[in-house]
């Protein structure tokens, strides 16, 4: 005789599953995005201080005209698109080693596929690490110096103190590094968000100075600049690539923040703000060629220059602290 179907008691009162770490990561997505802006994008977020200026200086070897300015801006924008957006954000960040990124993780992945450790592969890894160390030396020197130079515009008599003040700031950074970055890490994200937002605002404010700068989105201008200037364009490219210093941090810090927060921060805030800043600087130089001397700080409205210099100093200290920490971490991984 068939017995009636009865629902077991355990089905009536199912035991709840423990929360997934993935769910917690989704809940903390906002914090992770904010943290990635403060740490991952500290370096590349301060590049507008000097990348545009140095690129224009390199391009002005035979004079600077409108085509040169638009060409340089086009090179800067498309360098960000190709190197950061396409190479790192879209492609390389997909090659993680159990969630971890960085040059050494990439070398480990290749070793796993080859099932051996060839000498040439380790040599390539060492070269990649060396390039990051080079970036780690360039960033504190150039970004802090560029920020402190803004004081020369506020008070011209400050010019003799630019180099000593820069050295003191960098010395303080290395002395503080032994204490770790945790004490000030909580300020990294909000400060960098404020800095990046101000950059975007200044760019929007000046784009209307010469709307023809928007044609820089056309890569033909970048290609035309390279062809027209011949070998000299490679010298300009050396300065243009200052715009992507710190791009390696997107991949290296993937294990700390995750792929999605880093991508969201780049797409929603960092990339648009960097682009607007370069467009604004270009429009300012087109309308006022003398501004090529220091286009970033000269974008500041009257009365806003000093606060901008102070914010720039804070942002460059954060950028330098982050990249120094990255260099130490990479050394520890290598050991």
């Amino acid at each position: 005789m068939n017995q009636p179907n009865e629902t077991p008691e355990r089905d009536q009162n199912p035991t709840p599953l423990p929360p997934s770490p993935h769910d917690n990561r989704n809940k903390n997505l906002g914090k992770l995005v904010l943290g990635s802006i403060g740490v991952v994008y500290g370096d590349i977020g301060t590049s507008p201080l000097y990348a545009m200026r140095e690129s224009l200086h390199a391009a002005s070897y035979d004079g600077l005209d409108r085509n040169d300015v638009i060409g340089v801006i086009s090179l800067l924008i498309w360098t960000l698109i190709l190197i950061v957006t396409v190479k790192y954000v879209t492609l390389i960040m997909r090659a993680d080693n159990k969630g971890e990124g960085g040059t050494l993780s990439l070398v480990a992945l290749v070793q796993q596929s080859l099932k051996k450790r060839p000498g040439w592969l380790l040599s390539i890894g060492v070269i990649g690490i060396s390039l990051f160390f080079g970036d780690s030396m360039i960033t504190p020197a150039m970004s802090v110096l560029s920020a402190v130079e803004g004081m020369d515009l506020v008070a011209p008599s400050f010019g003799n103190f630019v180099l000593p003040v820069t050295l003191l700031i960098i010395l303080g950074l290395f002395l503080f590094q032994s204490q770790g970055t945790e004490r000030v890490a909580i300020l990294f994200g909000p400060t960098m968000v404020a800095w990046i937002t101000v950059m975007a605002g200044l760019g929007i404010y000046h784009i209307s100075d010469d709307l023809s700068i928007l044609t820089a989105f056309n890569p033909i201008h970048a290609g035309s600049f390279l062809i027209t200037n011949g070998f000299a364009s490679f010298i300009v490219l050396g300065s243009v690539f200052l715009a992507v210093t710190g791009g390696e941090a997107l991949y290296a810090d993937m294990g700390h923040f995750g792929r999605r927060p880093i991508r969201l921060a780049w797409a929603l805030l960092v990339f648009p703000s960097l682009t607007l800043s370069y467009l604004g600087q270009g429009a300012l130089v087109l309308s006022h060629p003398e501004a090529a001397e220091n286009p970033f700080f000269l974008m500041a409205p009257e009365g806003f220059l000093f606060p901008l210099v102070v914010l720039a100093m804070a942002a460059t200290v954060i950028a330098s602290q982050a990249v120094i920490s990255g260099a130490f971490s990479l050394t520890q991984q290598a050991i």
Side-chain angles (χ1 to χ4, degrees), residues 118-205:
W120 61 266
L121 178 59
L122 295 177
S123 299
I124 292 176
V126 170
I127 292 173
I129 295 171
S130 301
L131 293 175
F132 181 78
F133 283 160
D135 186 8
S136 301
M137 289 187 288
I138 289 174
T139 296
M142 288 211 61
S143 59
V144 175
L145 179 60
S146 298
V148 177
E149 281 178 340
M151 287 298 298
D152 195 20
L153 299 175
V154 177
S157 59
F158 189 81
N160 295 330
F161 300 97
V162 168
L163 191 56
V165 170
T166 301
L167 291 174
L168 287 175
I169 292 175
I170 293 177
L171 179 61
L173 282 172
F174 278 93
L175 291 176
F176 185 81
Q177 188 63 41
S178 62
Q179 304 297 320
T181 59
E182 290 83 0
R183 296 182 181 180
V184 293
I186 192 172
L187 300 176
F188 281 15
T191 302
M192 288 306 301
V193 168
W195 164 253
I196 292 172
T197 303
V198 168
M199 279 198 313
L202 291 174
I204 294 172
Y205 179 74

Side-chain angles (χ1 to χ4, degrees), residues 16 30 33 81 87 91-92 96 101 139 157 175 196 198 202 239 267 274 281 299:
V33 170
I81 293 174
K87 176 184 173 182
L91 297 178
I92 294 185
D96 65 287
T139 296
S157 59
L175 291 176
I196 292 172
V198 168
L202 291 174
S239 298
L274 290 174
Q281 292 183 56
M299 286 197 301

Side-chain angles (χ1 to χ4, degrees), residues 204-212 280 283-288 299:
I204 294 172
Y205 179 74
H206 280 282
I207 285 178
S208 59
D209 290 354
D210 194 322
L211 291 175
S212 64
L284 175 64
V285 173
L286 287 178
S287 58
H288 303 284
M299 286 197 301

Side-chain angles (χ1 to χ4, degrees), residues 11 51 74 115 121 148 213 254:
D11 290 337
S74 185
K115 297 182 180 180
L121 178 59
V148 177
I213 195 63
M254 186 168 59

Side-chain angles (χ1 to χ4, degrees), residues 7-15:
T7 303
E9 184 177 350
R10 65 175 179 271
D11 290 337
Q12 296 175 357
N13 299 289
T15 303

